Amino acid sequence: MNTKRYNILNNLDSAKKTTHRVYANPKPEKTDSTEKTKEHLLRIHKLEKAKAYLENQVEEGKKELAESVAKNNRFLSIVTHDLRSPLCTTIGVFDLLKEGITEGDKLEVEELIDMASNSANNTLSLLDELLAWSVTQNSEKSFNPVKINLNELINDELESFNATTTQKQITITHSIVPNLYITADLQMTKTIFRNLISNAIKFTYTGGKILISATEGKKFVEIEVKDNGTGMSEETQKKLFKVDKFHSLKGTNNEQGTGLGLLFCKEFVGLHGGKIWVESEPGKGSKFKFTLPHYI
């Protein structure tokens, strides 16, 4: 009886030890499972976050593309209109000349020739601006900043406006010192000045004045083209430098313009890391200001 009891007790003790071995330490397995679950959930969270980011990027890309297409379509519409207008004028003039004007109509012939010449020059000016703009679309190859003497550049550019300023009896002066240098693309800088000076002449009355000045800064030179012409309202100023709010007005002598010059100025100035803006009031003239890198 004692032997039988001993065996039973011994078996029970063995069973307890076995049970203890199986169930005594279940925590490590549970911990491993929990950690794997956490890692899995973390990966899912990261993937969902990455997916949301990519979807947002795609939507932004679609929006930017749509805006770019809309602006390009608007731009092409403007260019087409501005190219057609002077060409139609030129063709019309030649049609009148072909009809046969007598020698007694010499004054009329001269007026028609002047009209055709102005139309052709406007077309050429537009094409030059378009060419300059198209080159900037591959800015890595076309952008070539060099050391430029601002005084010499202004003097050279002003010479090209002698005929126009003489016709309107406008005086253009500048106060730029001889030893002021900037770091900029030469062709782009010339285009900026031509557009701003041409714009100032266009909206300045006969006998008016235009002043070009520059202020040196540590990193940039601030350049100003000031006229005492018609000036402009705040509403008009908001439409400048924007393709989608294209705005063109006739000059004081009914001069026509492409209206694209300021758009090119903004793009060219931007490529140099500069800014361009206008300060103006109706009847008090305008100040067009922009910045270009200072060569030190």
Side-chain angles (χ1 to χ4, degrees), residues 82-269:
D82 284 334
L83 279 174
R84 280 182 57 82
S85 181
L87 286 174
C88 288
T89 301
T90 304
I91 293 170
V93 168
F94 286 132
D95 286 341
L96 289 173
L97 290 174
K98 280 196 305 181
E99 290 178 2
I101 301 177
T102 63
E103 292 183 2
D105 297 324
K106 183 179 178 181
L107 182 60
E108 185 179 352
V109 171
E110 289 179 351
E111 290 178 354
L112 289 172
I113 290 174
D114 285 341
M115 189 184 300
S117 176
N118 289 334
S119 295
N121 285 329
N122 286 336
T123 305
L124 180 61
S125 176
L126 174 59
L127 290 173
D128 286 340
E129 290 175 347
L130 287 173
L131 179 60
W133 175 80
S134 65
V135 170
T136 65
Q137 301 311 294
N138 191 353
S139 56
E140 291 183 0
K141 293 183 179 180
S142 63
F143 188 58
N144 183 33
V146 295
K147 179 182 178 182
I148 299 175
N149 185 305
L150 197 55
N151 179 283
E152 294 178 0
L153 176 64
I154 292 297
N155 288 331
D156 290 341
E157 289 304 311
L158 290 182
E159 287 184 8
S160 64
F161 290 99
N162 284 339
T164 310
T165 54
T166 299
Q167 185 181 13
K168 292 189 74 171
Q169 299 175 10
I170 292 174
T171 303
I172 303 182
T173 57
H174 76 81
S175 59
I176 297 175
V177 295
N179 59 345
L180 178 56
Y181 292 89
I182 59 174
T183 302
D185 183 280
L186 182 59
Q187 294 305 318
M188 291 184 189
T189 305
K190 285 183 175 182
T191 300
I192 293 168
F193 276 108
R194 286 173 190 167
N195 276 302
L196 294 181
I197 294 171
S198 178
N199 200 59
I201 293 172
K202 178 181 176 182
F203 293 105
T204 297
Y205 296 104
T206 300
K209 296 180 180 180
I210 297 171
L211 174 63
I212 302 170
S213 60
T215 304
E216 296 183 62
K218 290 184 179 180
K219 294 183 178 181
F220 288 89
V221 174
E222 183 178 303
I223 303 161
E224 176 182 289
V225 179
K226 176 184 177 182
D227 66 68
N228 62 350
T230 60
M232 67 186 81
S233 66
E234 205 171 311
E235 183 181 352
T236 299
Q237 293 177 48
K238 291 178 181 179
K239 296 178 182 178
L240 302 180
F241 309 114
K242 295 180 180 179
V243 175
D244 56 337
K245 294 189 180 295
F246 172 72
H247 194 68
S248 180
L249 298 171
K250 290 185 178 181
T252 54
N253 281 3
N254 291 319
E255 300 99 324
Q256 297 288 340
T258 64
L260 297 173
L262 293 179
L263 299 179
F264 296 134
C265 288
K266 180 183 179 182
E267 183 150 1
F268 294 163
V269 169

